[in-house]
Amino acid sequence: MNKYRKQGWMGYRDLLIELVTKDVKLKYRRSFLGYLWSILNPLMIMLVMVIVFSSIFRFDIDHYPVYLIIGQTIYNYVNNATVHAIYSVTDNGALLKKVYVPKYIFPLSKVTSDLVDFLFSLGAMVLVMLITGTQFSVYLILLPYVAIQIYVFSLGMGMFLAQASVFFRDIRYIYNVFLTAWMYATPIFYPVTMLPDKIRWIVTHLNPLYYYIEQFRVIVLEQTMPSMVLVSRGCIISLLFLAFGILTFRKSQDKFILYI
């Protein structure tokens, strides 16, 4: 690890690549289908949810499988990235006590390695689009821009949760409960229009996931560009969370060694 310190930022970039590569490889190391699970898993979950929700609730949504897999894929990425980030610093406590490593590299590597999985999962979305006959449009080139917003937002949340978990270990259990509530408060498998007016206002104005999922759906299902209000809110929220995450992480990182 000392070689990275001597090489400066370029060395840390190499370290980040090593950590991300290791996380991706470990996830599928003993899996028979390997990376295909990144596509098959969201497809199977989507199939079950489509059968359940379309049969029981009968939502009147065009291309419902695509509508569902978009919300499911984005929620799963934010869920996985932030949960893995929570453990990133404490799980590397032994390493931090032995050698100098920039502490931010651990939540950064977790959020980035899950981004790789997220990109694979988009392959499942493309398959569902093909199967359901959803039209492809030139606006799909805007999807990476939305993916960057989601990544920046997740990194900010991940850095905040990673540092908070060092001092307050129970936060990981509280956060799991929060994630369940967050899933139901996000229009993943239901249309936002079915919510009462007051709750709908809260979801569409105070739920960050709504901005990212809605941008994806407008681009994919409506084949047009999202409104500037939607895009600007998504960007502002992601940058605010990143700034907050970096600020809280930098302020507390020197005390990590006393608690891990």
Side-chain angles (χ1 to χ4, degrees), residues 10-251:
M10 291 299 291
Y12 298 146
R13 187 186 67 176
D14 293 340
L15 173 59
L16 174 63
I17 293 173
E18 285 187 20
L19 290 173
V20 170
T21 302
K22 183 188 74 171
D23 284 342
V24 174
K25 287 182 177 179
L26 285 176
K27 184 173 182 179
Y28 301 105
R29 182 174 56 181
R30 296 184 180 180
S31 171
F32 178 73
L33 294 177
Y35 298 112
L36 281 177
W37 276 116
S38 295
I39 297 176
L40 292 176
N41 188 58
L43 280 176
M44 291 188 293
I45 295 175
M46 181 219 66
L47 182 61
V48 172
M49 294 180 74
V50 165
I51 293 173
V52 171
F53 291 113
S54 63
S55 299
I56 297 177
F57 297 101
R58 299 185 183 279
F59 297 132
D60 186 19
I61 299 176
D62 292 335
H63 300 289
Y64 183 66
V66 180
Y67 179 94
L68 177 59
I69 201 169
I70 289 173
Q72 171 194 329
T73 301
I74 294 175
Y75 171 80
N76 285 346
Y77 169 64
V78 174
N79 183 331
N80 293 334
T82 53
V83 167
H84 292 157
I86 287 180
Y87 298 90
S88 61
V89 174
T90 53
D91 284 355
N92 288 281
L95 177 61
L96 288 173
K97 291 178 180 179
K98 293 179 181 179
V99 295
Y100 174 81
V101 181
K103 301 171 183 65
Y104 68 82
I105 208 78
F106 298 114
L108 177 60
S109 68
K110 294 298 183 182
V111 175
T112 304
S113 62
D114 279 306
L115 177 65
V116 176
D117 203 38
F118 172 70
L119 296 177
F120 276 117
S121 298
L122 292 181
M125 183 191 75
V126 172
L127 284 177
V128 175
M129 289 175 67
L130 289 170
I131 293 171
T132 58
T134 304
Q135 183 179 350
F136 288 77
S137 73
V138 69
Y139 292 101
L140 291 176
I141 63 174
L142 297 175
L143 291 183
Y145 179 68
V146 186
I148 291 173
Q149 294 177 49
I150 302 168
Y151 174 76
V152 170
F153 169 76
S154 300
L155 181 58
M157 276 199 68
M159 294 188 74
F160 168 74
L161 292 167
Q163 62 83 27
S165 181
V166 173
F167 309 105
F168 185 48
R169 302 298 172 91
D170 288 346
I171 197 170
R172 58 190 64 180
Y173 307 114
I174 297 172
Y175 186 62
N176 283 334
V177 176
F178 171 78
L179 282 172
T180 302
W182 199 8
M183 179 183 69
Y184 288 109
T186 303
I188 296 173
F189 50 83
Y190 61 84
V192 71
T193 52
M194 71 171 288
L195 297 174
D197 291 342
K198 291 183 179 179
I199 297 178
R200 187 192 312 166
W201 187 93
I202 293 173
V203 169
T204 57
H205 288 78
L206 302 179
N207 185 345
L209 278 181
Y210 171 79
Y211 301 133
Y212 309 128
I213 292 174
E214 189 64 16
Q215 286 183 68
F216 249 75
R217 285 173 175 163
V218 169
I219 292 170
V220 174
L221 295 175
E222 298 181 19
Q223 290 96 43
T224 188
M225 183 174 179
S227 68
M228 288 308 298
V229 172
L230 196 61
V231 173
S232 60
R233 286 178 179 175
C235 291
I236 291 171
I237 287 292
S238 62
L239 291 175
L240 285 176
F241 268 81
L242 180 62
F244 180 68
I246 292 175
L247 179 65
T248 54
F249 196 92
R250 291 187 62 181
K251 186 176 181 180

